[in-house]
């Protein structure tokens, strides 16, 4: 782990911050700001940690596309043999466009439309993680129309408390996700009778940014008890999918290493032959990325000082939405004394902040890096205030690859029409 920064490949040279040795100032000069910058070797190492922890087990790591769906990122994971966890037909199209294998793709989500189910059946995806009996019936019908059998797992809600932010905990009884634990056995028995369904696995996902392995172990125990009950009903499964959720360091969190997080689970699965799957998102991409932004103005208010930057809540909504903390670092440190700033964007909302009370020695025009922004950053961005979305680049050693161009303003309203002349 990098003691200075949560991003392992970020460091400070005499001239400023570098990612994989490339100066962030150079990237800003070449591609402008705001720009999302990802480190390919940080992505690779994060993925390799899962592979190492699962070595010797039949397993599949399905990267959760929602965390960062850029084609450059997806194509990297596809190249390393990852599967994918998708939640929409759009994400499936991205996976295929990036060279990902639909045969290693699982489809989660409570609201899959008929068109999405058809699209995924036609692509022969690995598994539908079914979240309701109504979805099961719809899937059976559409698979019948296509002359196919749909491989399914029920996403079971194990009702364990993941001890994370309420907006991102998903495995509790009162969540909209999954099927109730107590209903699962009946649902499986019914699914096994349907002509166009093939019962394949069991899935769960209890929440995100988890820092403690205990809730996962608890969920595993519950799932395995259910699996054994199903076996006595004559229903055997070929895979267990434990979802995503492992947290990362944003500030001073101390998440377990992947191997330590998975250890209690792997221990409980000893002697079982089923393939084990995971759907990690944040832990693969979060600390491989940062958002590079430039200070437009410094403003000294009566009570607070503001650093107004060219990135805003439309680029990174996590602070506004979850009160999330992202480390803010000056790309070049100045000798001047530091002052405490609110880091805010140009959007017309008081909620448009990226960070509170940060001590920085900076001047107008300086560059800042918002760290740990690789997950749920660009993917949750919007065009609010008709702001063109940021560019995205991947640093690979000495190379910097543009993997998404900065949007043009014309593109933002190209699909709109003014009313015809009166
Ligand atoms: N699988 C399923 C079914 C999920 O719903 C999620 C995330 C994942 C996998 C990936 O979880 P991860 O490994 O990234 O924790 N926007 C929020 C996070 C929402 C997570 C939603 N589900 C944030 O910015 O913190």
């Amino acid at each position: 782990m990098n003691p200075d920064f949560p991003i392992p490949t970020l460091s400070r040279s005499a001239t400023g911050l570098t990612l994989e040795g490339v100066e962030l100032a150079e990237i800003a000069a070449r591609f402008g700001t705001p720009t999302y910058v990802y480190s390919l070797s940080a992505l690779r190492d994060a993925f390799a940690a899962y592979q190492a922890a699962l070595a010797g087990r039949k397993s599949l790591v399905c990267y959760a596309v929602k965390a960062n769906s850029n084609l450059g990122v997806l194509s990297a994971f596809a190249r390393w043999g990852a599967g994918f966890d998708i939640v929409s037909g759009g994400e499936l199209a991205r996976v295929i466009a990036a060279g990902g294998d639909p045969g290693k793709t699982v489809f989660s989500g409570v609201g899959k439309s008929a068109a999405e189910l058809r699209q995924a059946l036609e692509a022969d995806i690995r598994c539908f993680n079914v979240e309701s009996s109504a979805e099961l019936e719809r899937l059976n019908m559409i698979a019948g129309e296509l002359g196919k059998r749909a491989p399914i797992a029920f996403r079971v809600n194990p009702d364990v408390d993941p001890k994370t932010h309420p907006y991102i905990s998903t495995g509790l009884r009162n969540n909209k996700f999954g099927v109730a634990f107590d209903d699962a056995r009946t649902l499986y028995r019914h699914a096994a009778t349907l002509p166009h369904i093939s019962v394949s696995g069991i899935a769960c996902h209890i929440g995100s940014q988890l820092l403690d392995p205990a809730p996962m172990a608890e969920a595993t125990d519950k799932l395995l008890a259910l699996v054994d009950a199903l076996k006595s009903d004559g229903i055997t499964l070929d895979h267990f999918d434990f979802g995503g959720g492992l947290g990362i360091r944003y500030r001073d969190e101390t998440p377990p290493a992947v191997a330590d997080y998975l250890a209690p689970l792997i221990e409980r699965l000893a002697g079982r032959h089923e393939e084990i799957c995971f759907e990690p998102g944040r832990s693969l991409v979060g600390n491989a990325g940062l958002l590079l932004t430039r200070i437009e103005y410094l403003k000294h208010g009566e009570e607070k000082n503001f650093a107004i930057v060219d990135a805003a809540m439309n680029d990174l909504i996590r602070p506004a939405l979850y009160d999330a903390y992202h480390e803010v670092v000056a790309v070049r440190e100045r000798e001047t004394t530091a002052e405490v700033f609110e880091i805010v964007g140009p959007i017309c909302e008081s909620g448009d902040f990226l960070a509170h009370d940060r001590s920085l020695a900076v001047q107008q025009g300086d560059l800042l890096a918002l760290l740990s922004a690789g997950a749920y950053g660009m993917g949750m961005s919007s065009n609010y205030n008709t702001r063109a979305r940021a560019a995205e680049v991947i640093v690979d050693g000495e190379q910097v690859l543009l993997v998404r161009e900065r949007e043009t303003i014309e593109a933002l309203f190209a699909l709109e029409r003014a009313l015809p002349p009166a």
Side-chain angles (χ1 to χ4, degrees):
M1 196 164 74
N2 184 340
D4 298 327
F5 304 115
I7 298 178
T9 48
L10 186 70
S11 47
R12 188 173 287 288
S13 76
T15 48
L17 285 182
T18 63
L19 192 69
E20 292 194 28
V22 177
E23 299 273 353
L24 292 183
E26 232 175 75
I27 293 176
R30 199 168 144 202
F31 299 99
T33 52
T35 290
Y36 275 97
V37 187
Y38 311 119
S39 158
L40 190 67
S41 77
L43 292 171
R44 191 188 292 113
D45 289 351
F47 184 68
Y50 275 91
Q51 287 187 308
L54 293 165
R57 283 255 8 166
K58 200 173 168 216
S59 62
L60 183 63
V61 179
C62 294
Y63 167 60
V65 173
K66 65 170 84 69
N68 186 324
S69 56
N70 182 282
L71 293 196
V73 172
L74 299 183
S75 62
F77 286 122
R79 196 179 296 168
W80 300 325
F84 297 92
D85 166 48
I86 58 166
V87 289
S88 69
E91 288 190 350
L92 176 56
R94 279 182 178 274
V95 165
I96 294 170
D101 181 357
K104 290 183 182 174
T105 297
V106 300
F107 194 170
S108 309
V110 291
K112 304 175 190 81
S113 71
E116 288 175 320
L117 293 175
R118 189 166 291 117
Q119 179 192 354
L121 280 163
E122 280 168 350
D124 289 321
I125 65 160
R126 166 69 197 272
C127 192
F128 292 85
N129 290 349
V130 173
E131 305 214 19
S132 64
S133 66
E135 181 190 333
L136 181 73
E137 299 306 329
R138 182 184 266 184
L139 181 60
N140 181 52
M141 200 185 77
I142 297 171
E145 286 165 15
L146 297 175
K148 296 197 175 224
R149 274 175 90 106
I152 66 124
F154 281 106
R155 173 168 171 188
V156 176
N157 191 335
D159 195 28
V160 301
D161 184 356
K163 302 187 184 82
T164 182
H165 193 289
Y167 284 15
I168 50 177
S169 73
T170 43
L172 281 167
R173 202 185 281 274
N174 59 5
N175 281 136
K176 69 172 176 178
F177 301 101
V179 302
F181 187 82
D182 294 338
D183 298 340
R185 194 167 171 186
T186 314
L187 284 167
Y188 269 104
R189 284 186 184 162
H190 173 59
T193 68
L194 294 178
H196 303 292
I197 294 292
S198 143
V199 173
S200 167
I202 188 163
C204 78
H205 171 79
I206 60 172
S208 201
Q209 185 56 12
L210 309 185
L211 299 169
D212 174 2
M216 270 307 294
E218 194 187 330
T220 306
D221 286 336
K222 285 194 150 183
L223 243 55
L224 291 180
L226 181 57
V227 167
D228 291 338
L230 291 175
K231 202 175 227 170
S232 67
D233 295 338
I235 298 171
T236 53
L237 306 179
D238 59 38
H239 75 277
F240 305 153
D241 177 344
F242 295 99
L246 174 58
I248 61 169
R249 171 157 76 107
Y250 284 97
R251 187 180 194 170
D252 49 12
E253 301 89 339
T254 49
V258 174
D260 296 331
Y261 183 69
L262 298 187
L265 207 141
I266 291 175
E267 204 175 282
R268 284 168 168 75
L269 295 169
R272 295 191 184 249
H273 63 279
E274 294 85 352
E275 181 168 40
I276 54 177
C277 305
F278 294 92
E279 303 168 358
R282 190 190 317 265
S283 55
L284 290 179
V285 292
N287 269 330
L290 57 86
L291 175 58
L292 189 57
T293 183
R294 195 177 289 281
I295 299 175
E296 295 280 8
Y297 302 102
L298 294 180
K299 180 162 158 176
H300 292 87
E302 264 173 48
E303 289 190 7
K304 296 215 175 241
N305 298 322
F306 295 94
I308 303 164
V309 298
D310 62 6
M313 67 189 290
N314 74 299
D315 298 298
L316 181 65
I317 203 174
R318 303 191 70 258
L321 196 57
Y322 313 116
D323 219 2
Y325 182 97
H326 288 264
E327 205 70 75
V328 179
V329 196
V331 169
R332 286 200 176 117
E333 278 181 330
R334 293 189 178 271
E335 303 290 308
T336 50
T337 31
E339 289 178 281
V340 174
F341 291 100
E342 290 287 293
I343 316 296
V344 301
I347 285 182
C348 305
E349 299 237 9
S350 303
D352 181 25
F353 62 87
L354 297 169
H356 295 302
D357 296 333
R358 301 305 170 86
S359 175
L360 293 165
V362 286
Q363 290 178 6
Q364 180 172 332
D366 282 2
L367 292 166
L368 298 178
L370 281 109
L371 308 189
S372 315
Y376 307 110
M378 186 64 173
M380 292 178 83
S381 65
S382 77
N383 293 117
Y384 189 37
N385 279 202
T386 306
R387 286 170 52 82
R389 258 177 279 219
E392 291 176 287
V393 301
I394 292 184
V395 178
D396 175 18
E398 285 169 5
Q399 270 192 306
V400 183
L401 306 158
L402 181 63
V403 289
R404 181 179 166 121
E405 289 175 35
R406 186 175 308 287
E407 271 173 347
T408 62
I409 297 298
E410 302 71 54
L412 301 190
F413 51 81
L415 301 178
E416 300 173 32
R417 301 287 179 271
L419 289 180

